[in-house]
Amino acid sequence: MSGLKHTMAAIPGGNTRRTYGTAHWDGSRWYARIQDSLLDARWLDPIQPLQGGKIVIDLTNDGMGQSTALVVGAYSD
């Protein structure tokens, strides 16, 4: 998870950064994977993730030590 800590530290408080990752199903719930980090994320409805599917994630730092991840969609090359 150290890569995620560096990513979140690079986002000034009160700002959002868009990044890209993949969907990950662990057998009981969906996560957003960014590099080697699994994030507990909210997913916009009606996104229907696929294991390993490419996703767009907005990471928000509220400036008070809290951060959130929101999966806003899927994409293809």
Side-chain angles (χ1 to χ4, degrees):
M1 283 258 202
S2 64
L4 179 61
K5 289 179 184 177
H6 293 297
T7 300
M8 293 310 297
I11 303 171
N15 287 295
T16 299
R17 173 171 287 170
R18 178 157 289 171
T19 192
Y20 302 90
T22 56
H24 178 81
W25 175 254
D26 74 351
S28 63
R29 65 180 300 171
W30 286 101
Y31 290 91
R33 178 186 294 275
I34 300 174
Q35 297 171 359
D36 293 330
S37 299
L38 291 178
L39 287 92
D40 190 18
R42 293 182 177 175
W43 297 69
L44 284 182
D45 195 20
I47 296 173
Q48 296 189 357
L50 299 170
Q51 181 76 319
K54 297 175 184 179
I55 54 176
V56 180
I57 308 141
D58 283 352
L59 299 172
T60 302
N61 177 342
D62 72 359
M64 297 182 289
Q66 296 294 315
S67 56
T68 60
L70 174 66
V71 177
V72 296
Y75 74 96
S76 62
D77 292 333

